[in-house]
Amino acid sequence: MKVITHTSSRAARGKNLTIVWGEHDFPVGKILVALMAEGLCWLGINCGVKKLRENWQGAELIEDKAATAKAAREIAHLWPQNLDKLSVPVVLYGTAFQLKVWKELLKIKSGTTVTYGQIARKIGKPAAMRAVGSAVGKNTVSIVVPCHRVVNEASGKINYGWGPALKIALLKGEKAA
DNA sequence: ATTTACCGTGCTT
DNA sequence: AAGCACGGTAAAT
């Protein structure tokens, strides 16, 4: 899987960008797939365009289901084991710190989980697990960048942007496969 | 069992 | 430019 990264703050994101998006079926719900010229820049679960607009403020958003169908089909087909074979490049916009965290997420094997603390240690900032938590939460390409494989160290506390039930469903699907 | 300290980000003042 | 709230964990109370 090809990954393209851009360092930017949230506010600077989306200027002069055209993004096409569409909603498609996925085993655990509807996914909203968004593509820009470089590749896949957003994947939300049951989320609606509102979230997309919040994250790409300055961008021009165009609904075009036909344009996103191919990528969506590929994602549904490759999940859960083979997402790293995705032919569409993944485009990540974030701060240097966020990009580091997201790249760590990409290394997590399907069917396994890591804790926020482990990621903090891996990126050389062992005390920054809270920051890792917020960076994980700001991931824009769910499922492909497996933010759902990051769990709390203690007890069964589950926190997930698209709802805890979805996180469980994703993990269950990957474990079973 | 509660509180404190740690870090990066984005929103508010 | 400074302050605040958020999010997860280990250590101190």
Side-chain angles (χ1 to χ4, degrees):
Chain A
M1 173 177 38
K2 192 178 172 194
V3 180
I4 301 168
T5 59
H6 294 283
T7 307
S8 82
S9 68
R10 177 184 245 248
R13 228 181 271 173
K15 298 251 188 292
N16 305 314
L17 282 179
T18 302
I19 296 175
V20 295
W21 63 274
E23 286 188 288
H24 302 271
D25 287 322
F26 191 75
V28 299
K30 285 266 182 193
I31 53 173
L32 193 156
V33 176
L35 301 168
M36 48 179 264
E38 288 178 296
L40 177 71
C41 64
W42 173 272
L43 199 164
I45 308 170
N46 298 329
C47 75
V49 220
K50 196 167 167 253
K51 291 275 184 184
L52 225 204
R53 213 177 272 129
E54 281 170 18
N55 256 274
W56 302 93
Q57 281 195 30
E60 186 187 354
L61 304 182
I62 301 168
E63 179 170 15
D64 186 348
K65 223 173 159 174
T68 53
K70 184 171 173 260
R73 220 179 305 124
E74 197 185 354
I75 291 163
H77 181 241
L78 293 176
W79 187 78
Q81 299 289 8
N82 300 306
L83 273 177
D84 54 324
K85 299 195 177 78
L86 196 62
S87 68
V88 188
V90 175
V91 186
L92 301 176
Y93 276 79
T95 63
F97 182 85
Q98 288 165 346
L99 293 174
K100 258 192 203 174
V101 172
W102 297 339
K103 283 182 193 163
E104 280 307 318
L105 300 187
L106 287 170
K107 295 181 193 162
I108 309 171
K109 285 192 224 91
S110 178
T112 66
T113 58
V114 300
T115 64
Y116 297 93
Q118 283 170 8
I119 293 183
R121 270 171 248 134
K122 274 196 185 168
I123 63 176
K125 307 225 170 195
M129 66 262 285
R130 307 179 73 185
V132 169
S134 53
V136 170
K138 279 165 195 145
N139 170 36
T140 52
V141 196
S142 307
I143 302 180
V144 178
V145 177
C147 48
H148 57 283
R149 295 188 195 134
V150 189
V151 299
N152 290 281
E153 202 154 88
S155 54
K157 267 183 271 170
I158 305 173
N159 176 357
Y160 192 51
W162 311 121
L166 228 25
K167 185 165 182 170
I168 294 167
L170 285 168
L171 290 173
K172 212 175 140 195
E174 295 183 352
K175 224 174 166 186

